[in-house]
């Protein structure tokens, strides 16, 4: 299905991925001068819950030479934030991970999606896809109107059923991207701030990722114009069993990577954390040997359970669910505090 795409010429924010504005502090990332882990963790969480309209603090944060970059604790999925933008407070320090295939599980879409996958009549399949398109457009608009839409990292839809039918996978991704970018255009016309980063779904090679990236950029350019396509941040969400050499080559041309602990048959239990941490360490070594400054995050329940190991190996951060977020914030706060106490010249009770 091809719907008419309109060219747009909207101003685009040229920030690099996962960089906050000056003076902002990432939730679960930066710690101010504090005498104890408990007070640091409390301040950590309080900073993430700034009141609407509150100005960022002007607290100066010092990073000593050789000190590791901040470790991000970000949101995976919906369910814990205010639904309305005006209730959300300031600009977020990092995106929320949105898995678009979950949209296909919604009651209004699940039946249509199943019928479309099994439909063998081309004309009828086209009509069903048209209906799916309008449903997806409503979902995209709802996302950008919500607090999540201030900054979202959204995966391209990909399911085992779709992977078995490449033509239908391409058709659905094309329709889905059109709906998302149309929603972005409408949001910008209304003067609303929104930022959408895209994640290619589970590429197995650099060539596969390059093809997905080109496809995303093509739809973005036709829908929103060249400026948006040039500024759109495109990363890849990877399975833990991706070949290390392939991950390194993907990182070379990707803006950021997310290692998904929820991919495949990984169990969302602590028993899966050790194996996931080892896979992440090996993949990170391969990626950083090619691109030392690569932004690599992890997602899924095993990532939250393995947070301490992921921090130790130098991962950029994790996406975690609402149920795991408080514990993850506290662990990240403790690890950051202890690392800073170990820095030469740091006094036990604060900073010199």
């Amino acid at each position: 299905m091809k719907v008419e795409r309109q060219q747009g010429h909207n101003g685009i924010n040229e920030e690099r991925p996962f960089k906050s504005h000056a003076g902002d502090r990432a939730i679960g990332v930066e710690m101010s001068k504090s005498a104890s882990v408990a007070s640091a963790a409390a301040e950590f969480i309080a900073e993430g819950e700034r009141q609407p309209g509150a100005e960022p603090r002007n607290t100066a944060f010092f990073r000593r030479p050789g000190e590791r970059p901040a470790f991000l604790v970000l949101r995976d999925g919906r369910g814990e934030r205010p639904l309305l933008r005006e209730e959300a407070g300031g600009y977020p320090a990092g995106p929320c991970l949105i898995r678009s295939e979950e949209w296909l599980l919604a009651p209004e879409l699940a039946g249509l999606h199943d019928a479309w996958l099994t439909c063998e009549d081309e004309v009828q399949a086209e009509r069903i896809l048209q209906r799916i398109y309008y449903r997806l457009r409503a979902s995209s608009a709802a996302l950008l109107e919500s607090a999540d839409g201030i900054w979202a990292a959204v995966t391209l839809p990909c399911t085992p059923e779709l992977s078995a039918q490449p033509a239908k996978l391409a058709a659905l991704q094309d329709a889905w991207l059109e709906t998302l970018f149309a929603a972005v255009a409408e949001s910008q016309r209304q003067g609303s701030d929104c930022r959408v980063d895209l994640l290619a779904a589970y590429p197995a090679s650099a060539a596969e990722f390059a093809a997905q990236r080109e496809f995303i950029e093509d739809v973005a350019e036709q829908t929103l114009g060249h400026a948006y396509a040039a500024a759109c941040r495109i990363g890849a969400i990877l399975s833990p069993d991706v070949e290390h050499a392939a991950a390194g080559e993907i990182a070379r041309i990707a803006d950021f990577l997310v290692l998904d602990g929820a991919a495949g048959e990984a169990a969302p239990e602590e028993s899966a954390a050790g194996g996931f941490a080892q896979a992440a360490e090996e993949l990170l070594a391969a990626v950083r040997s090619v691109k030392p400054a690569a932004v690599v995050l992890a997602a899924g329940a095993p990532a939250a359970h393995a947070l301490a190991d992921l921090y130790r190996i130098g991962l950029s951060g994790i996406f975690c669910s609402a149920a795991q977020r408080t514990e993850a914030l506290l662990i990240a706060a403790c690890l950051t505090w202890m690392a800073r106490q170990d820095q030469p010249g740091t006094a036990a009770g604060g900073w010199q």
Side-chain angles (χ1 to χ4, degrees), residues 181-217:
F181 290 140
V184 169
E186 180 61 26
S187 178
Q188 292 177 346
R189 277 194 293 271
Q190 294 177 0
S192 180
D193 248 354
C194 67
R195 173 172 173 179
V196 177
D197 296 336
L198 279 301
L199 283 160
Y202 309 107
S205 67
E208 191 175 321
F209 172 74
Q212 290 193 55
R213 176 162 196 151
E214 184 179 0
F215 177 60
I216 293 169
E217 290 173 339

PDB file of all heavy atoms in Angstrom, residues 181-217:
ATOM      1  N   PHE A 181       5.723   9.159  10.575  1.00  0.00           N
ATOM      2  CA  PHE A 181       6.238  10.428  10.084  1.00  0.00           C
ATOM      3  C   PHE A 181       5.108  11.420   9.798  1.00  0.00           C
ATOM      4  O   PHE A 181       5.288  12.630   9.950  1.00  0.00           O
ATOM      5  CB  PHE A 181       7.101  10.212   8.841  1.00  0.00           C
ATOM      6  CG  PHE A 181       8.402   9.519   9.133  1.00  0.00           C
ATOM      7  CD1 PHE A 181       8.911   8.548   8.277  1.00  0.00           C
ATOM      8  CD2 PHE A 181       9.139   9.821  10.268  1.00  0.00           C
ATOM      9  CE1 PHE A 181      10.112   7.908   8.537  1.00  0.00           C
ATOM     10  CE2 PHE A 181      10.341   9.186  10.548  1.00  0.00           C
ATOM     11  CZ  PHE A 181      10.829   8.222   9.678  1.00  0.00           C
ATOM     12  N   ALA A 182       3.945  10.921   9.391  1.00  0.00           N
ATOM     13  CA  ALA A 182       2.793  11.812   9.218  1.00  0.00           C
ATOM     14  C   ALA A 182       2.391  12.413  10.557  1.00  0.00           C
ATOM     15  O   ALA A 182       2.034  13.603  10.639  1.00  0.00           O
ATOM     16  CB  ALA A 182       1.631  11.045   8.602  1.00  0.00           C
ATOM     17  N   ALA A 183       2.455  11.606  11.611  1.00  0.00           N
ATOM     18  CA  ALA A 183       2.142  12.112  12.952  1.00  0.00           C
ATOM     19  C   ALA A 183       3.177  13.136  13.401  1.00  0.00           C
ATOM     20  O   ALA A 183       2.842  14.135  14.049  1.00  0.00           O
ATOM     21  CB  ALA A 183       2.071  10.953  13.938  1.00  0.00           C
ATOM     22  N   VAL A 184       4.451  12.896  13.071  1.00  0.00           N
ATOM     23  CA  VAL A 184       5.512  13.866  13.387  1.00  0.00           C
ATOM     24  C   VAL A 184       5.246  15.186  12.672  1.00  0.00           C
ATOM     25  O   VAL A 184       5.357  16.266  13.263  1.00  0.00           O
ATOM     26  CB  VAL A 184       6.894  13.310  12.989  1.00  0.00           C
ATOM     27  CG1 VAL A 184       7.958  14.404  13.056  1.00  0.00           C
ATOM     28  CG2 VAL A 184       7.288  12.152  13.895  1.00  0.00           C
ATOM     29  N   ALA A 185       4.884  15.120  11.375  1.00  0.00           N
ATOM     30  CA  ALA A 185       4.599  16.332  10.608  1.00  0.00           C
ATOM     31  C   ALA A 185       3.447  17.112  11.223  1.00  0.00           C
ATOM     32  O   ALA A 185       3.501  18.343  11.352  1.00  0.00           O
ATOM     33  CB  ALA A 185       4.281  15.962   9.156  1.00  0.00           C
ATOM     34  N   GLU A 186       2.393  16.416  11.611  1.00  0.00           N
ATOM     35  CA  GLU A 186       1.238  17.080  12.214  1.00  0.00           C
ATOM     36  C   GLU A 186       1.611  17.709  13.551  1.00  0.00           C
ATOM     37  O   GLU A 186       1.189  18.832  13.869  1.00  0.00           O
ATOM     38  CB  GLU A 186       0.106  16.069  12.409  1.00  0.00           C
ATOM     39  CG  GLU A 186      -1.156  16.650  13.024  1.00  0.00           C
ATOM     40  CD  GLU A 186      -1.782  17.739  12.178  1.00  0.00           C
ATOM     41  OE1 GLU A 186      -1.579  17.743  10.939  1.00  0.00           O
ATOM     42  OE2 GLU A 186      -2.484  18.601  12.751  1.00  0.00           O
ATOM     43  N   SER A 187       2.419  16.999  14.336  1.00  0.00           N
ATOM     44  CA  SER A 187       2.865  17.527  15.626  1.00  0.00           C
ATOM     45  C   SER A 187       3.674  18.799  15.433  1.00  0.00           C
ATOM     46  O   SER A 187       3.502  19.779  16.167  1.00  0.00           O
ATOM     47  CB  SER A 187       3.693  16.464  16.354  1.00  0.00           C
ATOM     48  OG  SER A 187       4.171  16.944  17.583  1.00  0.00           O
ATOM     49  N   GLN A 188       4.543  18.807  14.431  1.00  0.00           N
ATOM     50  CA  GLN A 188       5.360  19.994  14.175  1.00  0.00           C
ATOM     51  C   GLN A 188       4.519  21.151  13.665  1.00  0.00           C
ATOM     52  O   GLN A 188       4.768  22.306  14.009  1.00  0.00           O
ATOM     53  CB  GLN A 188       6.474  19.639  13.187  1.00  0.00           C
ATOM     54  CG  GLN A 188       7.516  18.698  13.763  1.00  0.00           C
ATOM     55  CD  GLN A 188       8.568  18.292  12.759  1.00  0.00           C
ATOM     56  OE1 GLN A 188       8.402  18.498  11.555  1.00  0.00           O
ATOM     57  NE2 GLN A 188       9.643  17.697  13.236  1.00  0.00           N
ATOM     58  N   ARG A 189       3.513  20.862  12.853  1.00  0.00           N
ATOM     59  CA  ARG A 189       2.628  21.920  12.362  1.00  0.00           C
ATOM     60  C   ARG A 189       1.887  22.595  13.515  1.00  0.00           C
ATOM     61  O   ARG A 189       1.583  23.784  13.467  1.00  0.00           O
ATOM     62  CB  ARG A 189       1.619  21.361  11.352  1.00  0.00           C
ATOM     63  CG  ARG A 189       2.165  21.249   9.934  1.00  0.00           C
ATOM     64  CD  ARG A 189       1.047  21.018   8.937  1.00  0.00           C
ATOM     65  NE  ARG A 189       0.416  19.721   9.107  1.00  0.00           N
ATOM     66  CZ  ARG A 189       0.815  18.610   8.510  1.00  0.00           C
ATOM     67  NH1 ARG A 189       1.868  18.633   7.701  1.00  0.00           N
ATOM     68  NH2 ARG A 189       0.184  17.466   8.707  1.00  0.00           N
ATOM     69  N   GLN A 190       1.599  21.814  14.558  1.00  0.00           N
ATOM     70  CA  GLN A 190       0.892  22.352  15.718  1.00  0.00           C
ATOM     71  C   GLN A 190       1.830  23.016  16.720  1.00  0.00           C
ATOM     72  O   GLN A 190       1.407  23.486  17.765  1.00  0.00           O
ATOM     73  CB  GLN A 190       0.105  21.235  16.398  1.00  0.00           C
ATOM     74  CG  GLN A 190      -1.030  20.692  15.549  1.00  0.00           C
ATOM     75  CD  GLN A 190      -1.747  19.530  16.209  1.00  0.00           C
ATOM     76  OE1 GLN A 190      -1.396  19.117  17.321  1.00  0.00           O
ATOM     77  NE2 GLN A 190      -2.749  18.975  15.542  1.00  0.00           N
ATOM     78  N   GLY A 191       3.126  23.038  16.374  1.00  0.00           N
ATOM     79  CA  GLY A 191       4.109  23.685  17.232  1.00  0.00           C
ATOM     80  C   GLY A 191       4.527  22.873  18.433  1.00  0.00           C
ATOM     81  O   GLY A 191       5.097  23.409  19.387  1.00  0.00           O
ATOM     82  N   SER A 192       4.264  21.575  18.404  1.00  0.00           N
ATOM     83  CA  SER A 192       4.610  20.714  19.533  1.00  0.00           C
ATOM     84  C   SER A 192       5.991  20.105  19.330  1.00  0.00           C
ATOM     85  O   SER A 192       6.354  19.728  18.217  1.00  0.00           O
ATOM     86  CB  SER A 192       3.571  19.599  19.662  1.00  0.00           C
ATOM     87  OG  SER A 192       3.881  18.755  20.745  1.00  0.00           O
ATOM     88  N   ASP A 193       6.745  20.036  20.413  1.00  0.00           N
ATOM     89  CA  ASP A 193       8.076  19.433  20.365  1.00  0.00           C
ATOM     90  C   ASP A 193       7.957  17.925  20.381  1.00  0.00           C
ATOM     91  O   ASP A 193       7.255  17.359  21.212  1.00  0.00           O
ATOM     92  CB  ASP A 193       8.893  19.862  21.587  1.00  0.00           C
ATOM     93  CG  ASP A 193      10.046  20.755  21.193  1.00  0.00           C
ATOM     94  OD1 ASP A 193      10.259  20.920  19.987  1.00  0.00           O
ATOM     95  OD2 ASP A 193      10.701  21.298  22.098  1.00  0.00           O
ATOM     96  N   CYS A 194       8.651  17.254  19.489  1.00  0.00           N
ATOM     97  CA  CYS A 194       8.715  15.801  19.562  1.00  0.00           C
ATOM     98  C   CYS A 194      10.016  15.349  18.915  1.00  0.00           C
ATOM     99  O   CYS A 194      10.540  16.006  18.020  1.00  0.00           O
ATOM    100  CB  CYS A 194       7.518  15.140  18.875  1.00  0.00           C
ATOM    101  SG  CYS A 194       7.462  15.363  17.094  1.00  0.00           S
ATOM    102  N   ARG A 195      10.526  14.258  19.401  1.00  0.00           N
ATOM    103  CA  ARG A 195      11.735  13.685  18.822  1.00  0.00           C
ATOM    104  C   ARG A 195      11.541  12.180  18.739  1.00  0.00           C
ATOM    105  O   ARG A 195      11.179  11.538  19.723  1.00  0.00           O
ATOM    106  CB  ARG A 195      12.950  14.012  19.682  1.00  0.00           C
ATOM    107  CG  ARG A 195      14.203  13.293  19.190  1.00  0.00           C
ATOM    108  CD  ARG A 195      15.439  13.775  19.911  1.00  0.00           C
ATOM    109  NE  ARG A 195      16.586  12.962  19.557  1.00  0.00           N
ATOM    110  CZ  ARG A 195      17.817  13.157  20.021  1.00  0.00           C
ATOM    111  NH1 ARG A 195      18.027  14.144  20.872  1.00  0.00           N
ATOM    112  NH2 ARG A 195      18.806  12.378  19.662  1.00  0.00           N
ATOM    113  N   VAL A 196      11.774  11.639  17.553  1.00  0.00           N
ATOM    114  CA  VAL A 196      11.628  10.204  17.340  1.00  0.00           C
ATOM    115  C   VAL A 196      12.923   9.669  16.752  1.00  0.00           C
ATOM    116  O   VAL A 196      13.357  10.094  15.678  1.00  0.00           O
ATOM    117  CB  VAL A 196      10.452   9.899  16.388  1.00  0.00           C
ATOM    118  CG1 VAL A 196      10.372   8.407  16.117  1.00  0.00           C
ATOM    119  CG2 VAL A 196       9.141  10.389  16.986  1.00  0.00           C
ATOM    120  N   ASP A 197      13.561   8.761  17.481  1.00  0.00           N
ATOM    121  CA  ASP A 197      14.702   8.009  16.956  1.00  0.00           C
ATOM    122  C   ASP A 197      14.179   6.644  16.534  1.00  0.00           C
ATOM    123  O   ASP A 197      13.293   6.090  17.173  1.00  0.00           O
ATOM    124  CB  ASP A 197      15.785   7.850  18.022  1.00  0.00           C
ATOM    125  CG  ASP A 197      16.391   9.190  18.442  1.00  0.00           C
ATOM    126  OD1 ASP A 197      16.328  10.137  17.642  1.00  0.00           O
ATOM    127  OD2 ASP A 197      16.916   9.287  19.565  1.00  0.00           O
ATOM    128  N   LEU A 198      14.746   6.095  15.466  1.00  0.00           N
ATOM    129  CA  LEU A 198      14.272   4.817  14.932  1.00  0.00           C
ATOM    130  C   LEU A 198      15.289   3.713  15.175  1.00  0.00           C
ATOM    131  O   LEU A 198      16.493   3.961  15.182  1.00  0.00           O
ATOM    132  CB  LEU A 198      14.009   4.918  13.427  1.00  0.00           C
ATOM    133  CG  LEU A 198      12.678   5.525  12.956  1.00  0.00           C
ATOM    134  CD1 LEU A 198      11.508   4.721  13.499  1.00  0.00           C
ATOM    135  CD2 LEU A 198      12.535   6.977  13.350  1.00  0.00           C
ATOM    136  N   LEU A 199      14.780   2.508  15.373  1.00  0.00           N
ATOM    137  CA  LEU A 199      15.633   1.339  15.565  1.00  0.00           C
ATOM    138  C   LEU A 199      15.284   0.276  14.527  1.00  0.00           C
ATOM    139  O   LEU A 199      14.161  -0.239  14.504  1.00  0.00           O
ATOM    140  CB  LEU A 199      15.431   0.757  16.969  1.00  0.00           C
ATOM    141  CG  LEU A 199      16.109   1.512  18.117  1.00  0.00           C
ATOM    142  CD1 LEU A 199      15.459   1.158  19.438  1.00  0.00           C
ATOM    143  CD2 LEU A 199      17.598   1.200  18.159  1.00  0.00           C
ATOM    144  N   ALA A 200      16.229  -0.041  13.654  1.00  0.00           N
ATOM    145  CA  ALA A 200      16.052  -1.155  12.725  1.00  0.00           C
ATOM    146  C   ALA A 200      15.960  -2.439  13.535  1.00  0.00           C
ATOM    147  O   ALA A 200      16.678  -2.615  14.532  1.00  0.00           O
ATOM    148  CB  ALA A 200      17.215  -1.221  11.748  1.00  0.00           C
ATOM    149  N   ALA A 201      15.082  -3.338  13.115  1.00  0.00           N
ATOM    150  CA  ALA A 201      14.777  -4.512  13.925  1.00  0.00           C
ATOM    151  C   ALA A 201      15.661  -5.703  13.604  1.00  0.00           C
ATOM    152  O   ALA A 201      15.572  -6.280  12.526  1.00  0.00           O
ATOM    153  CB  ALA A 201      13.305  -4.895  13.739  1.00  0.00           C
ATOM    154  N   TYR A 202      16.549  -6.038  14.523  1.00  0.00           N
ATOM    155  CA  TYR A 202      17.336  -7.270  14.532  1.00  0.00           C
ATOM    156  C   TYR A 202      18.062  -7.562  13.209  1.00  0.00           C
ATOM    157  O   TYR A 202      17.955  -8.675  12.672  1.00  0.00           O
ATOM    158  CB  TYR A 202      16.449  -8.453  14.924  1.00  0.00           C
ATOM    159  CG  TYR A 202      15.676  -8.194  16.188  1.00  0.00           C
ATOM    160  CD1 TYR A 202      14.310  -7.952  16.149  1.00  0.00           C
ATOM    161  CD2 TYR A 202      16.324  -8.139  17.431  1.00  0.00           C
ATOM    162  CE1 TYR A 202      13.592  -7.680  17.315  1.00  0.00           C
ATOM    163  CE2 TYR A 202      15.619  -7.863  18.594  1.00  0.00           C
ATOM    164  CZ  TYR A 202      14.256  -7.630  18.531  1.00  0.00           C
ATOM    165  OH  TYR A 202      13.560  -7.341  19.687  1.00  0.00           O
ATOM    166  N   PRO A 203      18.828  -6.613  12.680  1.00  0.00           N
ATOM    167  CA  PRO A 203      19.611  -6.919  11.481  1.00  0.00           C
ATOM    168  C   PRO A 203      20.705  -7.925  11.828  1.00  0.00           C
ATOM    169  O   PRO A 203      21.298  -7.873  12.907  1.00  0.00           O
ATOM    170  CB  PRO A 203      20.207  -5.571  11.087  1.00  0.00           C
ATOM    171  CG  PRO A 203      20.272  -4.796  12.374  1.00  0.00           C
ATOM    172  CD  PRO A 203      19.059  -5.230  13.150  1.00  0.00           C
ATOM    173  N   ALA A 204      20.994  -8.828  10.899  1.00  0.00           N
ATOM    174  CA  ALA A 204      22.015  -9.857  11.135  1.00  0.00           C
ATOM    175  C   ALA A 204      23.347  -9.488  10.512  1.00  0.00           C
ATOM    176  O   ALA A 204      24.348 -10.175  10.744  1.00  0.00           O
ATOM    177  CB  ALA A 204      21.534 -11.197  10.591  1.00  0.00           C
ATOM    178  N   SER A 205      23.385  -8.430   9.713  1.00  0.00           N
ATOM    179  CA  SER A 205      24.626  -8.028   9.044  1.00  0.00           C
ATOM    180  C   SER A 205      24.588  -6.530   8.779  1.00  0.00           C
ATOM    181  O   SER A 205      23.522  -5.891   8.838  1.00  0.00           O
ATOM    182  CB  SER A 205      24.777  -8.774   7.715  1.00  0.00           C
ATOM    183  OG  SER A 205      23.774  -8.364   6.801  1.00  0.00           O
ATOM    184  N   ALA A 206      25.765  -5.973   8.454  1.00  0.00           N
ATOM    185  CA  ALA A 206      25.841  -4.547   8.138  1.00  0.00           C
ATOM    186  C   ALA A 206      25.042  -4.229   6.882  1.00  0.00           C
ATOM    187  O   ALA A 206      24.396  -3.178   6.789  1.00  0.00           O
ATOM    188  CB  ALA A 206      27.296  -4.140   7.961  1.00  0.00           C
ATOM    189  N   ALA A 207      25.050  -5.144   5.906  1.00  0.00           N
ATOM    190  CA  ALA A 207      24.301  -4.921   4.669  1.00  0.00           C
ATOM    191  C   ALA A 207      22.802  -4.861   4.951  1.00  0.00           C
ATOM    192  O   ALA A 207      22.079  -4.023   4.390  1.00  0.00           O
ATOM    193  CB  ALA A 207      24.612  -6.029   3.666  1.00  0.00           C
ATOM    194  N   GLU A 208      22.336  -5.725   5.840  1.00  0.00           N
ATOM    195  CA  GLU A 208      20.916  -5.741   6.189  1.00  0.00           C
ATOM    196  C   GLU A 208      20.528  -4.462   6.920  1.00  0.00           C
ATOM    197  O   GLU A 208      19.469  -3.878   6.661  1.00  0.00           O
ATOM    198  CB  GLU A 208      20.615  -6.967   7.057  1.00  0.00           C
ATOM    199  CG  GLU A 208      19.146  -7.243   7.271  1.00  0.00           C
ATOM    200  CD  GLU A 208      18.903  -8.531   8.046  1.00  0.00           C
ATOM    201  OE1 GLU A 208      19.630  -9.513   7.799  1.00  0.00           O
ATOM    202  OE2 GLU A 208      17.986  -8.539   8.890  1.00  0.00           O
ATOM    203  N   PHE A 209      21.396  -4.008   7.830  1.00  0.00           N
ATOM    204  CA  PHE A 209      21.107  -2.760   8.528  1.00  0.00           C
ATOM    205  C   PHE A 209      21.130  -1.583   7.563  1.00  0.00           C
ATOM    206  O   PHE A 209      20.266  -0.696   7.624  1.00  0.00           O
ATOM    207  CB  PHE A 209      22.104  -2.508   9.658  1.00  0.00           C
ATOM    208  CG  PHE A 209      21.949  -1.137  10.269  1.00  0.00           C
ATOM    209  CD1 PHE A 209      20.882  -0.853  11.097  1.00  0.00           C
ATOM    210  CD2 PHE A 209      22.861  -0.127   9.985  1.00  0.00           C
ATOM    211  CE1 PHE A 209      20.713   0.422  11.636  1.00  0.00           C
ATOM    212  CE2 PHE A 209      22.698   1.138  10.521  1.00  0.00           C
ATOM    213  CZ  PHE A 209      21.625   1.417  11.343  1.00  0.00           C
ATOM    214  N   ALA A 210      22.113  -1.557   6.666  1.00  0.00           N
ATOM    215  CA  ALA A 210      22.218  -0.456   5.702  1.00  0.00           C
ATOM    216  C   ALA A 210      20.959  -0.364   4.844  1.00  0.00           C
ATOM    217  O   ALA A 210      20.476   0.731   4.541  1.00  0.00           O
ATOM    218  CB  ALA A 210      23.450  -0.638   4.832  1.00  0.00           C
ATOM    219  N   ALA A 211      20.412  -1.521   4.468  1.00  0.00           N
ATOM    220  CA  ALA A 211      19.187  -1.533   3.659  1.00  0.00           C
ATOM    221  C   ALA A 211      18.017  -0.969   4.454  1.00  0.00           C
ATOM    222  O   ALA A 211      17.211  -0.185   3.936  1.00  0.00           O
ATOM    223  CB  ALA A 211      18.894  -2.954   3.182  1.00  0.00           C
ATOM    224  N   GLN A 212      17.915  -1.366   5.751  1.00  0.00           N
ATOM    225  CA  GLN A 212      16.836  -0.852   6.585  1.00  0.00           C
ATOM    226  C   GLN A 212      16.991   0.645   6.824  1.00  0.00           C
ATOM    227  O   GLN A 212      16.008   1.396   6.808  1.00  0.00           O
ATOM    228  CB  GLN A 212      16.793  -1.599   7.923  1.00  0.00           C
ATOM    229  CG  GLN A 212      16.331  -3.046   7.809  1.00  0.00           C
ATOM    230  CD  GLN A 212      15.998  -3.630   9.173  1.00  0.00           C
ATOM    231  OE1 GLN A 212      15.179  -3.084   9.918  1.00  0.00           O
ATOM    232  NE2 GLN A 212      16.619  -4.753   9.503  1.00  0.00           N
ATOM    233  N   ARG A 213      18.232   1.081   7.021  1.00  0.00           N
ATOM    234  CA  ARG A 213      18.465   2.512   7.244  1.00  0.00           C
ATOM    235  C   ARG A 213      18.089   3.321   6.007  1.00  0.00           C
ATOM    236  O   ARG A 213      17.443   4.366   6.107  1.00  0.00           O
ATOM    237  CB  ARG A 213      19.929   2.746   7.607  1.00  0.00           C
ATOM    238  CG  ARG A 213      20.267   4.214   7.760  1.00  0.00           C
ATOM    239  CD  ARG A 213      21.541   4.501   8.505  1.00  0.00           C
ATOM    240  NE  ARG A 213      21.542   5.899   8.894  1.00  0.00           N
ATOM    241  CZ  ARG A 213      22.142   6.385   9.948  1.00  0.00           C
ATOM    242  NH1 ARG A 213      22.803   5.574  10.758  1.00  0.00           N
ATOM    243  NH2 ARG A 213      22.091   7.663  10.233  1.00  0.00           N
ATOM    244  N   GLU A 214      18.485   2.846   4.850  1.00  0.00           N
ATOM    245  CA  GLU A 214      18.150   3.541   3.605  1.00  0.00           C
ATOM    246  C   GLU A 214      16.638   3.620   3.416  1.00  0.00           C
ATOM    247  O   GLU A 214      16.093   4.636   2.978  1.00  0.00           O
ATOM    248  CB  GLU A 214      18.797   2.832   2.420  1.00  0.00           C
ATOM    249  CG  GLU A 214      18.577   3.537   1.091  1.00  0.00           C
ATOM    250  CD  GLU A 214      19.259   2.830  -0.059  1.00  0.00           C
ATOM    251  OE1 GLU A 214      19.903   1.781   0.178  1.00  0.00           O
ATOM    252  OE2 GLU A 214      19.139   3.315  -1.202  1.00  0.00           O
ATOM    253  N   PHE A 215      15.950   2.530   3.770  1.00  0.00           N
ATOM    254  CA  PHE A 215      14.499   2.484   3.657  1.00  0.00           C
ATOM    255  C   PHE A 215      13.853   3.516   4.569  1.00  0.00           C
ATOM    256  O   PHE A 215      12.950   4.271   4.161  1.00  0.00           O
ATOM    257  CB  PHE A 215      14.022   1.073   4.012  1.00  0.00           C
ATOM    258  CG  PHE A 215      12.533   0.889   4.020  1.00  0.00           C
ATOM    259  CD1 PHE A 215      11.782   1.111   2.886  1.00  0.00           C
ATOM    260  CD2 PHE A 215      11.876   0.483   5.171  1.00  0.00           C
ATOM    261  CE1 PHE A 215      10.397   0.934   2.892  1.00  0.00           C
ATOM    262  CE2 PHE A 215      10.505   0.303   5.186  1.00  0.00           C
ATOM    263  CZ  PHE A 215       9.766   0.530   4.041  1.00  0.00           C
ATOM    264  N   ILE A 216      14.316   3.600   5.825  1.00  0.00           N
ATOM    265  CA  ILE A 216      13.783   4.573   6.784  1.00  0.00           C
ATOM    266  C   ILE A 216      14.022   5.995   6.278  1.00  0.00           C
ATOM    267  O   ILE A 216      13.119   6.845   6.295  1.00  0.00           O
ATOM    268  CB  ILE A 216      14.429   4.383   8.169  1.00  0.00           C
ATOM    269  CG1 ILE A 216      14.015   3.041   8.783  1.00  0.00           C
ATOM    270  CG2 ILE A 216      14.053   5.534   9.106  1.00  0.00           C
ATOM    271  CD1 ILE A 216      14.803   2.657  10.014  1.00  0.00           C
ATOM    272  N   GLU A 217      15.238   6.273   5.826  1.00  0.00           N
ATOM    273  CA  GLU A 217      15.574   7.611   5.354  1.00  0.00           C
ATOM    274  C   GLU A 217      14.765   7.996   4.129  1.00  0.00           C
ATOM    275  O   GLU A 217      14.374   9.157   3.966  1.00  0.00           O
ATOM    276  CB  GLU A 217      17.070   7.705   5.066  1.00  0.00           C
ATOM    277  CG  GLU A 217      17.929   7.661   6.332  1.00  0.00           C
ATOM    278  CD  GLU A 217      19.411   7.580   6.031  1.00  0.00           C
ATOM    279  OE1 GLU A 217      19.764   7.164   4.895  1.00  0.00           O
ATOM    280  OE2 GLU A 217      20.217   7.920   6.913  1.00  0.00           O
TER     281      GLU A 217
END
